[in-house]
Amino acid sequence: MKSSRSPEGGVTVLVVDDYEDNRQMYAELLSYAGFAVVEACNGAEGIATAQTVLPDLIVMDLSLPVMDGWEATRRLKSDPRTKHIPILALTGHAPEGLAGHSAAVEEAGCDGFLAKPCSPDSLLEMVHGVLDRTQREALKAAIPPGCARRASGG
């Protein structure tokens, strides 16, 4: 497990990819954008790291050794300790686009999907989008029934 913490100790992203060059590229991009980054090189290590670190988001390659990203995602989403962590799936096995993969990715429990290679802007946009959506859902769930109307003046 390799880790790089942001100075303010903000949002932590776990990057799971078996290719070191990809992990380093994603880690550098995310660190530069202000995220703390932790890395894992296969699905089993990704699960162990997620259970230990409890990151705010996981960027998961789907084609991994030891345990693939599909199975790692299913296991993380079935574990009460990690099921709340959003997972952004990455794969190089979608050259024809996302058609046909998005349903399988959603069924596995992923919260977003990008085909590799993806531009740095696309990755950051997706990371921010998934985190924003997750934060909004968590805030909604934390508001007791009936309070939302009173807070909005209704």
Side-chain angles (χ1 to χ4, degrees), residues 13-26:
V13 177
L14 168 59
V15 175
V16 186
D17 198 306
D18 55 325
Y19 288 102
E20 186 176 3
D21 289 347
N22 288 347
R23 279 196 321 274
Q24 286 179 347
M25 178 180 63
Y26 300 139

Side-chain angles (χ1 to χ4, degrees), residues 13 17 22 31 34 38-40 42 44 49 54-55 63 69 74 95 110 112 117 119 121 125 127 132 138 140-141:
V13 177
D17 198 306
N22 288 347
S31 291
V38 182
E39 300 174 34
N42 62 59
T49 303
L54 297 174
S63 183
R74 282 190 282 274
C110 295
S119 72
D121 288 341
E125 182 178 318
V127 165
D132 289 347
K140 256 193 234 179

Side-chain angles (χ1 to χ4, degrees), residues 1-2 14-17 23 38-53 60 64-67 72 76:
M1 173 176 65
K2 187 176 175 187
L14 168 59
V15 175
V16 186
D17 198 306
R23 279 196 321 274
V38 182
E39 300 174 34
C41 63
N42 62 59
E45 186 179 306
I47 290 173
T49 303
Q51 291 170 336
T52 302
V53 175
M60 176 83 71
L64 295 167
V66 182
M67 178 188 301
L76 288 165

Side-chain angles (χ1 to χ4, degrees), residues 4-14 30-31 33-38 53-58 86 127-128 130-132 135:
S4 98
R5 291 276 175 209
S6 63
E8 66 283 344
V11 175
T12 301
V13 177
L14 168 59
L30 292 165
S31 291
F35 296 101
V37 179
V38 182
V53 175
L54 297 174
D56 299 287
L57 174 81
I58 300 170
V127 165
H128 285 289
V130 169
L131 287 170
D132 289 347
Q135 185 178 33

